[in-house]
Amino acid sequence: MPSHSRSHIQNTLLLLLCASLCALTSTAASAADYVGAQVCQQCHQDQFQAWQGSHHDWAMLEPTAESVLGDFDNRKFTYNGITSRFFTTAGEADDGEARQYWVETDNAEGKLEKFPVAYTFGFYPLQQYLIGFADGRYQALSIAWDSRPKSEGGQRWFHLNPDETVDHRDPLHWTGLYYNWNNRCADCHSTNLQKNYQPDTDTYATTWSEINVACEACHGPGSDHLAWTELDNQDDPFKGWQQQLSASSIAEVLTPIPPGGKNLQKSAAQIAACGSCHSRRGVIGDITAPGNYHNKHQLSLLEEPLYYADGQIRDEVYVLGSFLQSKMYHQGVTCTHCHEPHSLELRQPGNQLCAQCHNPNQYDTTAHHQHPQGSSGSQCVNCHMPETTYMVVDPRRDHSIRIPRPDLSATTGAPNACVMCHQDRDNEWASKALAAWLKQGNKQLPPHPGAALAAAPNSELFDKIRQLATSEQPAIVRATALQRLRDIASPQTMELALQQFDSKDELVRAAAISLTDALPYPTRLQSVLPKLSDPIKAVRMAAVQVLLSPELVEAKAQLPAAEQTVVERALAEYLKMLEMHQDTAAGLNNLGQYYLAQGDFEKAEARYQRSIDMEPYLTGAIINLTDLYRMQGRDDAALKLLQQALTRHRQRPEIQHSLGLTLVRSGAYDKALTHLQQAAELAPEGFRYGYVYAVALHSTKHYAEAIREASRLLALQPQNPELLNIGLDSAMRSQQWSEALRFALQLQRLNPGDPQLQGLVKHLQDQILGGSY
């Protein structure tokens, strides 16, 4: 289970549906089609032996003398004034005495309590411990065991948030939602795990086939394969399995192929199987089912704070989003070309791994890597796959496998491998060194999408993003580029989004659809209606999401019967997906949005309120419930909710903005302006906050301030006619004639044939030049 930071909490809504599966009640194979690793062992002894002792084998185990690595010999660890104790007791069992492992630590009320360890979780470079509760929940202790050798700083207890001061009132406390094993991590640590969450009682009763990640977690249920072994005719190329996980050979990988060619297609099943757990994603379908990754998951794009602007890893993103950016993936390289699939070990040591495809006589030389042979700098991975350490002790490599770009670090704010290693040097030094090497080889660095993705939302951003979105960049880069256009709602943005509706890449189609929520509702409905029948579930769900609006019920009623059926079918599928996540605040918030769009205000309010109660540190449900109150004319309830939220979320622009709008409706204009101003200042690049503030200033006759705010925003969107009109009208009313002429000239450039503008510009010019103004 990952550690969490406060920035992680503030961005949990980016995960949307990222919860899944599990309170733990061990049963015999709960699904008839799962046969168990012991059965697989009978024919696949070598693979079984390789798997034993692997990270998958140790993903989760019952606590025994062999599986528990931590020191429970009455050891103590003090954090934030609380001293926790790890100890053992002996208990009676059928086969004699059995050791039980315990921790005495602070409970949800901040009092010391003794808890038995229910399960171990992982083993290297750290091991966590799960504590069970009567409601079926399992919580992961935030004090973990550093299982590295003592010579490397290991063999100690440590806290996963060492730089925080977490107590029982904090959402990062181990008893809270962020360390709840059931809805955070369980689906990737056991085989055939079924989450049986009961929303009426807020309890779990989950079953699984095997407690760890065993054979069928990757291959699927094995009963059909067993049946195949008994057949006289064994022509089935899948041998009874639901999917074929073998990768193309290295020889095939080295054969040039067009984009989307056979090697990439052949690796799709393996990418889907491994990527189901090794990715930052939301769950939208049955993750145990075979088939396209995007029918089961909604992959997170290259957005902050998950990634740096250039696509390098920042938060814990678990590999796939990085790997999809790499040239290797697009050539057909997949997971098992580098990792042995059962032991998970690297197939070759050091640079020999890369030499499977890259000629070492060319690349494993000082002329290429510019470092002494055999040094740390000569290792391919240290330049092309730099490490970031998570959970205090766990370094993980960036799988985008990229050229270091110190020349872009100042622009993108991203790190680079050069100064990550040479910590006594800076980006300028690294840029000059890299430029000198390139000059020696008469080479140039290729264009990089990071600069465009890092650009501020201004007049030049659209052109940069349009070029990216229609380029030959990886699909995840093009989809991210489209998402960046959410900051620039314009006719050109919509035109570009609609052009990408038929992209062959699922990520691009879904991202394009998400932009259409800026369209007028009837146009939006007609635009996305065909995508409600897209063959990929992630695309269909994106289409439903942009249609969730109070306008849906009436608009749907105007459709022909056949199209109404399409909408109803998509809504039913979406609801089923949302109901998978009723144990998360994000899932409840999304359910609230669903019921609001259906016109069921009572159910919507109940889901929003439960979401807020479950996770008060997230703001999405607060804003949505405020909007619901507004629609019902309950501004007093909205005001009370937002004032309560302000005590916890004073630095969140969306809360300040919503409070400002609520105060405007109640007629408290001066107070409203204060909160609208704070929202604009807290998010200076958030165009909507600034625009509403400018409108409010103009409406309350604060004309000079309205001109300043409009001018500030015009630096972001210099051709925005609404801003120009606010500036022009404010200048005219306050008799700032030079300012009025400036805005009028800009409007005239947008509308050169408008006779009224032509007359106004001429009048202002004549009067200013004549000295009348």
Side-chain angles (χ1 to χ4, degrees):
M1 173 170 286
S3 60
H4 297 86
S5 64
R6 297 192 192 282
S7 63
H8 179 94
I9 286 182
Q10 292 172 354
N11 290 280
T12 299
L13 287 177
L14 291 173
L15 299 179
L16 293 175
L17 311 173
C18 182
S20 200
L21 311 173
C22 95
L24 311 173
T25 304
S26 183
T27 66
S30 57
D33 288 337
Y34 285 80
V35 300
Q38 295 302 322
V39 173
C40 303
Q41 177 190 9
Q42 296 174 17
C43 296
H44 303 284
Q45 186 63 236
D46 290 344
Q47 290 82 358
F48 183 85
Q49 290 296 329
W51 167 77
Q52 286 193 306
S54 69
H55 283 269
H56 282 173
D57 182 18
W58 279 72
M60 177 175 158
L61 295 170
E62 294 183 355
T64 65
E66 291 74 29
S67 65
V68 173
L69 303 181
D71 186 349
F72 280 77
D73 189 14
N74 202 35
R75 297 304 180 197
K76 296 180 179 180
F77 176 81
T78 300
Y79 171 84
N80 193 28
I82 300 292
T83 297
S84 300
R85 182 168 65 97
F86 298 85
F87 62 99
T88 62
T89 60
E92 292 296 323
D94 293 340
D95 55 351
E97 292 189 349
R99 177 177 293 183
Q100 294 180 336
Y101 295 83
W102 293 77
V103 59
E104 183 179 30
T105 192
D106 55 330
N107 61 20
E109 286 73 44
K111 299 177 181 179
L112 287 177
E113 184 177 347
K114 296 174 183 177
F115 300 96
V117 171
Y119 299 99
T120 66
F121 187 43
F123 79 110
Y124 190 87
L126 71 155
Q127 185 173 70
Q128 289 181 267
Y129 302 93
L130 300 181
I131 307 298
F133 290 85
D135 59 3
R137 280 173 166 76
Y138 284 80
Q139 299 292 133
L141 288 171
S142 51
I143 302 172
W145 177 253
D146 185 344
S147 52
R148 299 174 302 166
K150 196 166 187 176
S151 60
E152 297 178 14
Q155 301 300 298
R156 64 185 176 108
W157 293 103
F158 70 100
H159 199 282
L160 291 170
N161 294 289
D163 299 325
E164 305 276 358
T165 53
V166 176
D167 64 18
H168 67 284
R169 297 162 295 190
D170 197 297
L172 292 178
H173 193 256
W174 75 272
T175 58
L177 185 65
Y178 289 94
Y179 283 91
N180 176 247
W181 199 82
N182 304 59
N183 65 21
R184 306 300 292 186
C185 306
D187 53 352
C188 287
H189 284 264
S190 297
T191 301
N192 187 31
L193 196 70
Q194 301 298 316
K195 180 175 68 172
N196 295 317
Y197 175 68
Q198 307 300 321
D200 293 340
T201 58
D202 191 25
T203 59
Y204 295 85
T206 301
T207 60
W208 69 89
S209 296
E210 295 186 84
I211 193 172
N212 52 9
V213 181
C215 313
E216 292 161 295
C218 300
H219 291 280
S223 58
D224 287 345
H225 175 65
L226 286 180
W228 171 83
T229 65
E230 302 295 327
L231 295 175
D232 292 331
N233 182 356
Q234 296 185 336
D235 289 341
D236 179 4
F238 282 15
K239 302 179 180 179
W241 295 112
Q242 294 178 335
Q243 59 187 350
Q244 177 60 265
L245 295 182
S246 61
S248 54
S249 67
I250 291 293
E252 288 179 296
V253 168
L254 293 176
T255 301
I257 57 172
K262 60 180 181 180
N263 294 354
L264 197 56
Q265 293 170 1
K266 190 170 183 179
S267 68
Q270 190 179 116
I271 289 293
C274 301
S276 281
C277 287
H278 294 276
S279 62
R280 189 71 170 259
R281 82 294 189 266
V283 176
I284 62 174
D286 180 6
I287 73 166
T288 66
N292 190 297
Y293 173 94
H294 302 284
N295 282 329
K296 300 179 283 185
H297 304 293
Q298 182 183 62
L299 182 66
S300 296
L301 299 180
L302 308 179
E303 297 179 314
E304 294 188 292
L306 302 182
Y307 296 86
Y308 289 100
D310 67 347
Q312 288 188 76
I313 59 172
R314 188 170 187 174
D315 206 340
E316 296 174 272
V317 291
Y318 312 114
V319 175
L320 181 62
S322 299
F323 187 54
L324 294 181
Q325 301 173 61
S326 71
K327 289 184 178 180
M328 286 66 184
Y329 166 73
H330 290 275
Q331 182 62 32
V333 172
T334 193
C335 313
T336 58
H337 288 120
C338 297
H339 299 273
E340 202 286 323
H342 301 100
S343 71
L344 312 181
E345 298 294 334
L346 292 175
R347 288 193 176 275
Q348 298 290 338
N351 289 354
Q352 293 179 46
L353 183 70
C354 303
Q356 293 181 107
C357 296
H358 300 277
N359 185 352
N361 294 326
Q362 180 179 355
Y363 293 104
D364 196 5
T365 65
T366 301
H368 174 70
H369 52 62
Q370 301 290 321
H371 289 80
Q373 203 69 18
S375 69
S376 175
S378 71
Q379 297 300 302
C380 308
V381 292
N382 288 340
C383 286
H384 299 291
M385 299 179 68
E387 291 178 334
T388 299
T389 298
Y390 303 99
M391 303 181 77
V392 183
V393 299
D394 190 5
R396 304 177 201 168
R397 293 200 177 275
D398 190 319
H399 279 62
S400 57
I401 316 175
R402 62 182 62 230
I403 299 170
R405 293 299 297 266
D407 58 312
L408 292 178
S409 287
T411 301
T412 63
N416 63 80
C418 305
V419 297
M420 289 172 72
C421 184
H422 296 275
Q423 296 181 11
D424 59 334
R425 303 295 187 123
D426 59 19
N427 292 328
E428 184 179 1
W429 166 84
S431 297
K432 289 180 179 178
L434 183 58
W437 300 344
L438 292 168
K439 188 175 181 180
Q440 291 176 9
N442 196 27
K443 297 178 180 179
Q444 290 184 331
L445 289 170
H448 195 284
L453 294 177
N458 55 32
S459 59
E460 299 177 358
L461 178 59
F462 176 78
D463 288 336
K464 294 177 181 177
I465 295 300
R466 178 176 58 187
Q467 292 173 12
L468 268 188
T470 57
S471 69
E472 294 299 318
Q473 290 286 338
I476 193 169
V477 173
R478 289 182 280 122
T480 303
L482 285 171
Q483 287 284 45
R484 281 289 277 118
L485 291 178
R486 295 187 72 87
D487 297 327
I488 308 178
S490 68
Q492 294 92 335
T493 299
M494 292 302 102
E495 181 182 359
L496 177 60
L498 293 171
Q499 289 172 357
Q500 300 302 313
F501 265 34
D502 294 320
S503 169
K504 64 181 179 62
D505 295 298
E506 302 95 331
L507 286 173
V508 175
R509 294 202 302 278
I513 289 168
S514 71
L515 293 180
T516 61
D517 60 3
L519 289 171
Y521 197 84
T523 305
R524 187 192 323 169
L525 176 58
Q526 289 301 321
S527 298
V528 305
L529 193 60
K531 293 306 166 188
L532 295 175
S533 302
D534 193 278
I536 298 300
K537 188 174 184 179
V539 179
R540 298 195 299 273
M541 298 301 93
V544 174
Q545 197 162 5
V546 299
L547 294 181
L548 292 182
S549 165
E551 300 171 84
L552 173 61
V553 174
E554 183 177 349
K556 183 177 63 175
Q558 305 302 318
L559 295 173
E563 292 182 348
Q564 287 189 37
T565 300
V566 171
V567 174
E568 291 292 349
R569 183 176 64 242
L571 285 169
E573 183 181 39
Y574 190 79
L575 178 60
K576 185 177 180 181
M577 180 266 290
L578 291 181
E579 289 176 340
M580 296 168 58
H581 305 289
Q582 296 181 77
D583 56 339
T584 71
L588 289 166
N589 181 42
N590 288 325
L591 270 171
Q593 291 293 84
Y594 174 86
Y595 287 121
L596 179 67
Q598 299 287 64
D600 193 333
F601 288 1
E602 184 177 352
K603 285 185 178 180
E605 182 176 355
R607 295 328 186 265
Y608 290 145
Q609 190 59 62
R610 189 173 173 190
S611 175
I612 294 168
D613 293 341
M614 181 181 290
E615 205 162 353
Y617 283 83
L618 297 181
T619 60
I622 297 172
I623 300 301
N624 291 333
L625 183 53
T626 300
D627 287 342
L628 174 58
Y629 288 153
R630 173 186 55 77
M631 295 168 62
Q632 296 176 309
R634 299 164 62 188
D635 281 340
D636 288 346
L639 193 60
K640 181 179 178 181
L641 174 65
L642 289 167
Q643 287 172 336
Q644 291 174 342
L646 197 64
T647 62
R648 182 177 286 118
H649 300 294
R650 187 165 293 276
Q651 298 303 310
R652 298 302 295 271
E654 63 270 30
I655 296 295
Q656 296 280 6
H657 179 75
S658 189
L659 180 54
L661 292 178
T662 304
L663 289 167
V664 166
R665 290 192 297 273
S666 67
Y669 299 120
D670 289 342
K671 289 183 179 179
L673 283 175
T674 298
H675 293 289
L676 293 175
Q677 179 182 6
Q678 289 182 13
E681 291 175 350
L682 286 168
E685 293 183 358
F687 177 81
R688 180 168 176 265
Y689 299 138
Y691 174 72
V692 172
Y693 179 45
V695 171
L697 288 168
H698 176 270
S699 300
T700 54
K701 301 182 180 180
H702 291 75
Y703 297 127
E705 292 91 338
I707 291 171
R708 282 197 295 270
E709 185 64 14
S711 297
R712 181 184 73 81
L713 294 171
L714 283 166
L716 303 177
Q717 295 192 19
Q719 296 183 332
N720 187 297
E722 289 84 3
L723 281 176
L724 291 169
N725 277 305
I726 290 172
L728 175 60
D729 194 64
S730 295
M732 293 291 289
R733 290 176 183 273
S734 59
Q735 299 184 10
Q736 298 184 52
W737 309 118
S738 295
E739 287 292 294
L741 178 59
R742 177 169 67 88
F743 290 118
L745 286 169
Q746 289 178 269
L747 277 168
Q748 187 182 40
R749 282 193 285 271
L750 293 180
N751 304 280
D754 188 322
Q756 288 185 323
L757 276 175
Q758 289 175 353
L760 177 60
V761 167
K762 187 175 187 308
H763 172 74
L764 288 170
Q765 288 173 332
D766 290 344
Q767 296 301 315
I768 291 172
L769 290 173
S772 299
Y773 289 161

